[in-house]
Amino acid sequence: MPATAPTTTNTLSATITDVVDGDTVNIQYENGTEDTVRLLGVDTPEVYGENDPTEYEGVPDTEAGKQCLEDAGDAASSHVKSELSIGEQITLELDSESDGRGYYGRLLAYIQDDGQNLNYNLVDSGHARVYDSQFSLSDSFYSAESAAQAAERGLWQCRNVGSEDGSGSLSIAEIHADAAGNDNYNLNDEYVVFENSGSETLDMAGWTVSDAAGHSYTFPSDASIAAEATVTLHTGSGSDTTSDRYWGASGAVWNNGGDTVTVTDSSGSVVATKSY
């Protein structure tokens, strides 16, 4: 459930002019004045700079951890862009317990969108961590964060990357969701490319690839990726090789409008995830 609005607030009406990333938007007030809003109480992974995994409890401070957070940042930005359309009118709520403006003079505020607190929902869905600062909803935000961590939602899946077996060297290099023509009639032009950036061969026997809807493919017992090599998983059917694998699905899997690719190892731990 969305968080209850603070008891003491000032509200402002504004129009969205741009979504900068998962926690920052540009707005225009009714009088034509423009401003930048930093969503109060939340922090989503960076998309324009390098992430520091130590800021995200339990995420390993490795290249795999940084890459996973980068992907999570992209997912958070995509989520906010899907919630807030350019030209959409929203309500800003200012919290009397917080500083009025943060770094770079950005306005600190909650965004009420369709009757829900977008800031809270970002934390609850795992798209953001709680930013340690003074604001009246901090207790409910931290509770939502704990629940998201326990369920390994969103960015908290990054806690499982970079395991000692070398699986942290796996990345999702490309997602080609939109096949030429009708996807359902050109299944092998719908594919995902996985890359092993490590120095040793990755044994992928029993590893699973799944989408947001729960469709899944499991790599067979002979599956592996050589060091610094790639393997492409095609949705359709064909003869498996070291560089190409075939899902054997009867219809398209990856949504052209956006989806999430998740790879888990044979123990069920998330190795890599990427949203588009």
Side-chain angles (χ1 to χ4, degrees), residues 22-124:
D23 54 35
T24 307
V25 300
N26 292 329
I27 61 164
Q28 184 178 65
Y29 298 112
E30 293 177 333
N31 65 1
T33 304
E34 296 185 339
D35 206 349
T36 297
V37 177
R38 178 66 161 75
L39 273 64
L40 176 61
V42 305
D43 182 40
T44 60
E46 299 291 335
V47 293
Y48 301 113
E50 187 170 298
N51 286 287
D52 180 0
T54 63
E55 295 180 347
Y56 297 86
E57 183 182 357
V59 176
D61 188 10
T62 61
E63 287 304 315
K66 292 178 181 178
Q67 179 61 55
C68 185
L69 287 173
E70 181 180 330
D71 294 340
D74 289 336
S77 294
S78 296
H79 176 76
V80 174
K81 288 177 181 178
S82 71
E83 294 292 320
L84 302 177
S85 304
I86 305 302
E88 178 181 350
Q89 186 169 356
I90 48 93
T91 298
L92 301 173
E93 293 192 348
L94 310 181
D95 190 329
S96 60
E97 293 188 17
S98 77
D99 296 329
R101 291 188 179 269
Y103 294 118
Y104 313 113
R106 297 175 298 187
L107 181 70
L108 300 175
Y110 305 106
I111 291 181
Q112 290 291 337
D113 179 53
D114 294 330
Q116 296 191 358
N117 186 316
L118 178 62
N119 308 40
Y120 176 89
N121 289 346
L122 283 169
V123 176
D124 186 55

Side-chain angles (χ1 to χ4, degrees), residues 1-9 93 95 110 112 115-121 135-141:
M1 294 294 292
T4 302
T7 56
T8 305
T9 59
E93 293 192 348
D95 190 329
Y110 305 106
Q112 290 291 337
Q116 296 191 358
N117 186 316
L118 178 62
N119 308 40
Y120 176 89
N121 289 346
F135 61 104
S136 65
L137 289 182
S138 60
D139 287 346
S140 62
F141 274 44

Side-chain angles (χ1 to χ4, degrees), residues 57-265:
E57 183 182 357
V59 176
D61 188 10
T62 61
E63 287 304 315
K66 292 178 181 178
Q67 179 61 55
C68 185
L69 287 173
E70 181 180 330
D71 294 340
D74 289 336
S77 294
S78 296
H79 176 76
V80 174
K81 288 177 181 178
S82 71
E83 294 292 320
L84 302 177
S85 304
I86 305 302
E88 178 181 350
Q89 186 169 356
I90 48 93
T91 298
L92 301 173
E93 293 192 348
L94 310 181
D95 190 329
S96 60
E97 293 188 17
S98 77
D99 296 329
R101 291 188 179 269
Y103 294 118
Y104 313 113
R106 297 175 298 187
L107 181 70
L108 300 175
Y110 305 106
I111 291 181
Q112 290 291 337
D113 179 53
D114 294 330
Q116 296 191 358
N117 186 316
L118 178 62
N119 308 40
Y120 176 89
N121 289 346
L122 283 169
V123 176
D124 186 55
S125 61
H127 285 301
R129 72 180 179 101
V130 178
Y131 187 76
D132 188 17
S133 57
Q134 182 68 31
F135 61 104
S136 65
L137 289 182
S138 60
D139 287 346
S140 62
F141 274 44
Y142 278 116
S143 294
E145 180 184 70
S146 294
Q149 290 174 336
E152 295 185 347
R153 289 194 288 267
L155 70 87
W156 302 114
Q157 294 179 3
C158 296
R159 288 176 158 187
N160 296 315
V161 301
S163 58
E164 294 181 356
D165 62 3
S167 60
S169 62
L170 183 83
S171 63
I172 300 167
E174 181 183 357
I175 303 170
H176 192 255
D178 190 5
N182 187 316
D183 291 8
N184 289 307
Y185 298 132
N186 194 11
L187 294 178
N188 285 338
D189 193 39
E190 182 185 84
Y191 56 82
V192 179
V193 180
F194 303 99
E195 181 177 8
N196 175 13
S197 60
S199 58
E200 298 182 359
T201 297
L202 273 179
D203 180 3
M204 297 182 69
W207 288 22
T208 298
V209 179
S210 60
D211 68 351
H215 302 108
S216 65
Y217 164 85
T218 301
F219 284 97
S221 59
D222 63 343
S224 64
I225 306 181
E228 300 183 354
T230 64
V231 64
T232 300
L233 176 60
H234 303 271
T235 299
S237 300
S239 298
D240 288 342
T241 66
T242 56
S243 61
D244 292 271
R245 295 280 172 176
Y246 296 88
W247 189 306
S250 58
V253 172
W254 307 110
N255 293 325
N256 293 345
D259 210 333
T260 299
V261 181
T262 301
V263 184
T264 56
D265 64 19

